[in-house]
Amino acid sequence: MSWLMLVLYCRLWLVQYLITARLIIHSVLLGSRVNFEGLHMDSAAQNFQPRTFSIKLWPPSESTRLMLVERMTKNLSTESIFSRKYGLLGKEEAHENAKRIEQLCFVAADEDFKKEPDGDGSSAVQLYARETSKMMLEVLKKGPRVTAESEVPVADTPLVPGDTVLDISGGKRAFIEADEAKELLSPLTKPGNSYKRICFSNRSFGVDAANVAGSILESVKNQLTEVDISDFVAGRPEDEALDVLRIFSKALEGCVLRYLNISDNALGEKGVRAFSELLKSQDNLEELYVMNDGISEDAAKALSELIPSTEKLKVLHFHNNMTGDEGAVYVAEMVKRSPNLESFRCSATRIGSDGGVALSEALGTCTHLKKLDLRDNLFGVDAGIALSKTLPKLPDLVELYLSDLNLENKGTLAIVNALKLSAPQLEVLELAGNEINAKAAPGIAECLTAMQSLKKLTLAENELKDAGAVIIAKSLEDGHTNLKELDVSTNMFQRAGARCFARAVANKPGFVQLNINGNFISDEGIDEVKDILKAGKNSLDVLGSLDENEPEGEPDDGDEDDGDEDAKDDNVEDGLDSKLQNVQVEQDDEP
């Protein structure tokens, strides 16, 4: 594990501990159930006989839940190691995320408590705190909305202009009631309207507003093909939110949709089943988005059971859920039934080795896959090897996102060896945060040499050091005329690695950004990098920020001799130059 990830996980543990402690204290003091039957005096013995005294820690009071939201809001919007790396969230965005996280985790913990109603609730409290801290870390790593990748996707096809689209999602998130719903949706009531696509995201519907919307939607559902009802019950109590989901589900039952987005609704299993009527009637879906929805094992099972057919699915996105290994099995079943899948995203879903293997094997049926995003899971080496056996079955793959999967050298090498022979057309490859070191560099270099269509390469947060950095940089120097972005930040390399990466991109036409931040490059090395870039065809503007570079830092290598840094760096490059002469792209036929 890299030093940065170690810091992140230590911080995660601390946040979890503090939240648990605060939650228990507030639960007791601010309204959780306390049962004190009192003391009974035996008049004969003149003795006190205590009766039972018990404390119920679950459910927390409303004031406790509000306290937790405010505490998370403060933590998410305060300057920290995370904000320096990923960007600082504004208070409004932090508060929105805090409310969403609390609702998702409350639902999960409440379901856990119902399995042991006679318990004191301590396990539910721990689950509540643990899941809350995990989701906070995910939000912090994602960074603010303005700099992060959009987590609520739109259809691959551009929106059709004119009156075929009704989109009420603009402006700040707002609660709407019946009168406003009637006004906002009035275009759908006009005779002869041609609306086919609706987007109600970012507006929170109460029951009265949902009843108004439901009757209007029923009148036009036969013409609708695309429905976005993501994030449309935010801030509502669970019972009311479920009623709203049922109203919309009933209203839209039977419409023939190609696109459905139900993300950001804190669904859980109850929410998924509240959509039963709508989901059961869909057998023509081409795009389905179920992100940030608290999809646990039971919720994934419900989703897999309810949708009658996924044969036409081209896009399936499950980002940022609580699916885990058990839930991954049900997601894998959906994937197996989706032979036409072109874009599959199952990132940040807490899937481990067993689930990763199941998912990797299921993807073998998706021979038309173009985009595959499995980032931020706990796959490990075995799941990486399973995935390497599937990759040769995906000849159309263009974008592959495999960061933060704990692949290590063995899993990474299995994957790049498969890609070397089967995916020369790959345009995007992300392998950040996988504990890759210099021993894997020759194998990665061979793979990269074969990928002449590459536009973006991310190897950040690994442990390449100079030895691995030089090998990989040399493999990118010739060809790769389409390369636009290269991120090798936080890899413990020094002056030699930095110089080689600068040379690799200095003359590539259209190159946009080189990220070498977070390494141990001396001031002289930075000057050399800038000189190399200025002397090339690209301007110095392609060099990213260096605010986290540590000029005085050194890799923890016990076998490096002390001595002049220039000579040491030159020796690294010269020695590796000779090693590279033996690095060749193997041309063995695929088995």
Side-chain angles (χ1 to χ4, degrees), residues 305-344:
E305 291 173 351
L306 290 172
I307 299 177
S309 173
T310 57
E311 287 186 7
K312 295 184 179 180
L313 263 188
K314 294 182 179 179
V315 179
L316 178 59
H317 285 196
F318 269 100
H319 170 73
N320 201 26
N321 284 298
M322 300 182 287
T323 312
D325 277 349
E326 295 81 4
V329 173
Y330 296 107
V331 177
E333 288 181 5
M334 292 184 66
V335 169
K336 285 180 185 177
R337 302 195 302 264
S338 309
N340 292 303
L341 210 57
E342 294 180 4
S343 176
F344 178 62

Side-chain angles (χ1 to χ4, degrees), residues 163-166 185 188 193-200 213-214 216-229 248 251-260 278 282 284-285:
D163 62 356
T164 62
V165 183
L166 178 65
L185 274 58
L188 295 175
N193 75 79
S194 57
Y195 289 102
K196 296 181 179 180
R197 308 172 75 170
I198 59 171
C199 178
F200 293 175
I216 294 174
L217 289 174
E218 278 202 73
S219 68
V220 296
K221 68 180 180 182
N222 290 335
Q223 66 194 52
L224 294 177
T225 61
E226 302 189 12
V227 169
D228 184 343
I229 45 177
F248 272 80
L252 293 168
E253 179 186 10
C255 56
V256 182
L257 299 180
R258 64 161 297 276
Y259 172 99
L260 177 61
L278 171 59
Q282 300 306 308
N284 286 284
L285 281 176

Side-chain angles (χ1 to χ4, degrees), residues 162-183:
D163 62 356
T164 62
V165 183
L166 178 65
D167 187 348
I168 64 170
S169 64
K172 291 186 177 180
R173 174 180 289 149
F175 285 78
I176 62 172
E177 303 305 331
D179 290 343
E180 189 177 2
K182 185 175 181 180
E183 181 181 351

Side-chain angles (χ1 to χ4, degrees), residues 392-534:
K393 302 174 185 177
L394 311 178
D396 298 330
L397 200 61
V398 176
E399 299 181 22
L400 183 58
Y401 302 89
L402 302 177
S403 295
D404 300 305
L405 291 178
N406 295 335
L407 296 175
E408 302 178 12
N409 282 351
K410 189 174 180 181
T412 300
L413 286 172
I415 285 169
V416 296
N417 286 336
L419 292 174
K420 174 178 62 179
L421 300 174
S422 63
Q425 77 286 350
L426 209 64
E427 295 179 3
V428 177
L429 177 60
E430 290 197 6
L431 286 166
N434 277 305
E435 302 180 44
I436 305 168
N437 62 36
K439 292 180 181 178
I444 295 173
E446 290 181 18
C447 177
L448 295 177
T449 301
M451 290 181 181
Q452 291 299 316
S453 299
L454 208 58
K455 294 180 180 179
K456 179 180 179 181
L457 174 63
T458 301
L459 290 167
E461 297 181 24
N462 285 300
E463 301 166 9
L464 295 175
K465 302 183 181 177
D466 275 330
V470 172
I471 290 176
I472 289 172
K474 298 276 187 181
S475 73
L476 295 171
E477 203 164 322
D478 295 328
H480 293 98
T481 55
N482 295 317
L483 192 63
K484 300 290 186 291
E485 297 178 50
L486 176 60
D487 185 351
V488 285
S489 57
T490 319
N491 261 292
M492 302 182 183
F493 60 74
Q494 299 175 279
R495 189 172 178 180
R499 285 191 309 218
C500 284
F501 280 124
R503 290 192 193 108
V505 302
N507 293 303
K508 297 197 184 301
F511 187 81
V512 175
Q513 187 174 54
L514 170 64
N515 187 353
I516 54 174
N517 203 8
N519 287 296
F520 306 138
I521 311 166
S522 66
D523 291 336
E524 294 81 0
I526 295 296
D527 290 338
E528 286 182 325
V529 165
K530 291 179 178 179
D531 289 341
I532 290 168
L533 293 175
K534 285 189 287 187

Side-chain angles (χ1 to χ4, degrees), residues 30 55-56 70 87 158 223 232 242 255 307 311 369 443:
L30 298 178
I55 296 176
K56 285 282 188 181
E70 293 308 312
Q223 66 194 52
F232 81 124
L242 290 172
C255 56
I307 299 177
E311 287 186 7
L369 205 63

Side-chain angles (χ1 to χ4, degrees), residues 252-298:
L252 293 168
E253 179 186 10
C255 56
V256 182
L257 299 180
R258 64 161 297 276
Y259 172 99
L260 177 61
N261 190 341
I262 54 175
S263 302
D264 299 299
N265 285 314
L267 296 176
E269 183 191 7
K270 291 179 183 177
V272 171
R273 295 202 180 277
F275 272 131
S276 290
E277 290 171 290
L278 171 59
L279 294 175
K280 284 180 178 178
S281 66
Q282 300 306 308
D283 53 13
N284 286 284
L285 281 176
E286 295 180 18
E287 300 186 40
L288 176 61
Y289 300 90
V290 195
M291 306 192 297
N292 301 315
D293 267 334
I295 301 298
S296 60
E297 174 191 357
D298 292 335

